[in-house]
Every structure is written in C-alpha cells, then in structure tokens.
Amino acid sequence: MSNLTTNFNNKTIKYKQLLSNFKSLLKKNSLKFTVQREVILKTLYNSDIHLTPESLHQLIQKKYPELKTGIATVYRTLSLLEESGIATSLSFGAQGKKYELGAKKHHDHLICTECGSITEFVDEEIEHRQQKITEELGFKMSDHSMQIYGICKKCQNK
Amino acid sequence: MSNLTTNFNNKTIKYKQLLSNFKSLLKKNSLKFTVQREVILKTLYNSDIHLTPESLHQLIQKKYPELKTGIATVYRTLSLLEESGIATSLSFGAQGKKYELGAKKHHDHLICTECGSITEFVDEEIEHRQQKITEELGFKMSDHSMQIYGICKKCQNK
DNA sequence: GTCGCTGCAAAGTCTTTGCAGAGAG
DNA sequence: CTCTCTGCAAAGACTTTGCAGCGAC
C-alpha cells in the first residue's frame, strides 16, 4: 500500500475529472473501484472542504444509509487519498486531523479560534520569501504549510 | 485552571529568569511550586527544544529516577506551561504533539522529512505580509505558525 | 474464480480523569 | 491546617488491524 504511482496537482478540478483521476490511479495500482470509495470522494468534494474522518463518516451515513459505510473504511480511504496526493490532511493543534481535496503544495489557512472555521489563502509574496529562506539555509523545500489563528469577521460581530 | 494571568515573551531567556517567571506565575494563580514542575521546566529548557510528552517523561525518569514522575503529571504540567504561554505545542501531521519553550507568537519551523529535525527561523517580511493579509480579510490575528518541509543540509549530503 | 475491499469488533496509541494519600504554603 | 499536586490505574478519544464474507474485475 505504499509508493503509489500518481501525479496530480488539482487546484480547481471538476468532479468528473477528479473521479477519472481517481479511477486511473486505482487501476494503475491494481486497486478496486468501490461504491464506498466513490461516495467518500464525492462527499469530500461536495462538502465544505475541511472535514474530519468522523464528520465525513456521519455525512455519508446520513446521505447513504443503505451503504452502512464503516468508519474504518473512511479512514482507510482517506489514507489512500492522501498517499496518492488527491487529498491532504491538516492538523492544527486540535485533536485529530481534517482532510481536504487538493494538491499537496501551497496551502495556507486562516483558522478561527472561536468557531473553528478555516479560510484558505495564497500569497505570492510569502511563497517567494519561503523559497528564498530555504535556499539561504541550504534546505531543500518539498512542501510547506502556514496557519494563522485568530477571530474571523463573523465571530467578531457577535 | 483557565484564564491564567501571564505575560511572557521570552525568546532567549536564562533559566533563572524563566524559573522566576514560572514561580511568580504560580503564585499569581494560587498554584504550587513542586519538584516535579521544576524538573519538567528544567528538562525542557536543557534539552533539544522540541520534545514529545513521552520523550520528556523518559528523560526525566532517567535523570531523576527517585522522583518516579508520572506521565500524567508531565501532560498536566505541559498543558499548564502552554496555557500560561511559557511553552508552545507544535503538531505537524505526525501523531502527538511536540513542545518547546518560548513565546506564543512568531514561530516558524523548517522540518526535515528525512531526520525529523526542526530548525527555527523568523522572517520579518513574512510577518508583515501575514498582518496585511489578515487585515484585508477582516480577520483578527492572534497567532500564527508556519512550517516548511523538506530535506536539511545534513541529510542532502548523505 | 481471484484477490482486494468492507464492516465489525477488538486492539492500539496518545491523552485525560478520578481518587486517595502526599506535600506546599 | 487547607487545598493543590501527584502517581496510579482506569477511562476516553481517535485510529488501526484481523478476520471472514462480499464484490469488483
């Protein structure tokens, strides 16, 4: 289950495209395309981008009760998606991880400490600066992540 | 145990200073200064800055076996230290947290994915930029953290 | 048909909590 | 003395794993 052959970099990808990427990934690695896997991918795609395995599982149970999808399958599929670069996990101090679809690079987040909501942003200047810093320190960057904590607009108005 | 009154911002603080800060913090909150708490603070100070509760506990057991410090106390003290702003916890994807001494703000890290070592850095330009971004988005920043993953100089030369 | 996938429940991690006795102030 | 701390063990939260039957290919 390691060293999966992939190469995605999907920023704003359509679901059909995503699904087809996923399918060819599975085929390439002699894995099987199952209803559960499709449902997990689809739910992740259609939902608010940041979900915990737990909340993803609940969503799926509510929407597809006949499937009786187990939490273990959710975990297994999320690992698969992460390993293949289709999804990324985030872990910000809080317990557990959250998952989002997307490429593995250039992910920055604003996290509201009141309501827990996560807003994404990208800033070219910061990206450049990061590259420069790593070069100066002789470090070979492969990835990075940045989080800013604070209180979002909505919660400030409460 | 919440809303502790503190205000430290110790970047390169001497141990005596740190200890006295800690003591006055305890006094201010009617908490007690115990051998265990001192040993935990001291060990965190003297060690490589980034320790898991587990490894901190082991270090302490090795160095002060007569104390028979329990892991629960380590967790409790680390939470206390974090809550009071003396220590900060980091959680980078991997399981569990690591702790370091220091202020709550302006913490950026270079993490080697080969050897797991963590290098710290601060870049004023990025700090400014972050402030600007949050302002633009109507977000009230309280803290931030940034991690860059890659391969450090040492591991590249292997 | 084969071999990977799934749900379930059991087992693992890591962390927190309850409690009674120990100890700081 | 009082009231917080501590170690221990038990309980919790989150995640992984073993297994037997199911289902994709």
Side-chain angles (χ1 to χ4, degrees), chain A residues 1 40 52-57 60 69-83 95-99:
Chain A
M1 186 61 99
I40 289 169
T52 60
E54 180 62 30
S55 56
L56 182 52
H57 181 226
I60 289 171
T69 312
I71 185 85
T73 299
V74 174
Y75 274 104
R76 283 186 283 229
T77 303
L78 285 173
S79 300
L80 173 64
L81 290 172
E82 177 164 35
E83 213 181 331
Q95 287 184 300
K97 291 181 183 177
K98 288 188 173 184
Y99 285 81

Side-chain angles (χ1 to χ4, degrees), chain B residues 32-112:
Chain B
K32 290 177 180 174
F33 180 70
T34 64
V35 197
Q36 288 85 346
R37 284 179 176 167
E38 165 156 32
V39 159
I40 289 169
L41 184 68
K42 189 189 282 179
T43 308
L44 203 54
Y45 181 86
N46 286 325
S47 316
D48 184 343
I49 21 179
H50 303 96
L51 288 175
T52 61
E54 181 63 31
S55 56
L56 182 51
H57 180 228
Q58 284 178 357
L59 265 178
I60 289 171
Q61 284 196 317
K62 214 180 293 175
K63 201 154 184 187
Y64 311 91
E66 73 286 359
L67 267 182
K68 288 193 294 174
T69 313
I71 185 83
T73 300
V74 174
Y75 275 103
R76 283 185 283 229
T77 304
L78 284 174
S79 301
L80 173 64
L81 289 173
E82 178 163 33
E83 212 180 333
S84 58
I86 295 180
T88 310
S89 73
L90 316 165
S91 57
F92 307 128
Q95 289 185 299
K97 291 180 182 178
K98 288 187 172 185
Y99 285 81
E100 64 179 3
L101 290 176
K104 280 236 168 189
K105 300 195 180 186
H106 307 301
H107 262 122
D108 299 331
H109 296 94
L110 277 171
I111 300 153
C112 177

Side-chain angles (χ1 to χ4, degrees), chain A residues 6 15 30 62 70 77-78 86 93 98 104-105 113-114 133:
Chain A
T6 39
Y15 180 63
S30 337
K62 214 180 293 173
T77 303
L78 285 173
I86 295 180
K98 288 188 173 184
K104 280 233 163 186
K105 301 194 177 186
T113 52
E114 285 287 306
I133 290 165

Side-chain angles (χ1 to χ4, degrees), chain A residues 38-115:
Chain A
E38 166 157 31
V39 159
I40 289 169
L41 185 68
K42 189 188 283 179
T43 308
L44 203 52
Y45 180 87
N46 285 326
S47 316
D48 186 343
I49 22 179
H50 303 95
L51 289 175
T52 60
E54 180 62 30
S55 56
L56 182 52
H57 181 226
Q58 285 177 359
L59 264 179
I60 289 171
Q61 284 197 316
K62 214 180 293 173
K63 200 154 185 190
Y64 310 90
E66 74 286 0
L67 267 182
K68 288 193 294 177
T69 312
I71 185 85
T73 299
V74 174
Y75 274 104
R76 283 186 283 229
T77 303
L78 285 173
S79 300
L80 173 64
L81 290 172
E82 177 164 35
E83 213 181 331
S84 58
I86 295 180
T88 310
S89 74
L90 316 165
S91 57
F92 308 127
Q95 287 184 300
K97 291 181 183 177
K98 288 188 173 184
Y99 285 81
E100 65 180 1
L101 290 177
K104 280 233 163 186
K105 301 194 177 186
H106 308 299
H107 262 122
D108 298 333
H109 297 95
L110 277 171
I111 300 152
C112 178
T113 52
E114 285 287 306
C115 65

Side-chain angles (χ1 to χ4, degrees), chain B residues 128-146:
Chain B
H128 285 144
R129 197 72 200 136
Q130 287 174 326
Q131 191 60 55
K132 216 168 180 178
I133 290 165
T134 53
E135 277 169 17
E136 275 169 28
L137 296 172
F139 199 85
K140 196 174 167 192
M141 175 159 87
S142 65
D143 190 13
H144 74 259
S145 82
M146 185 174 110

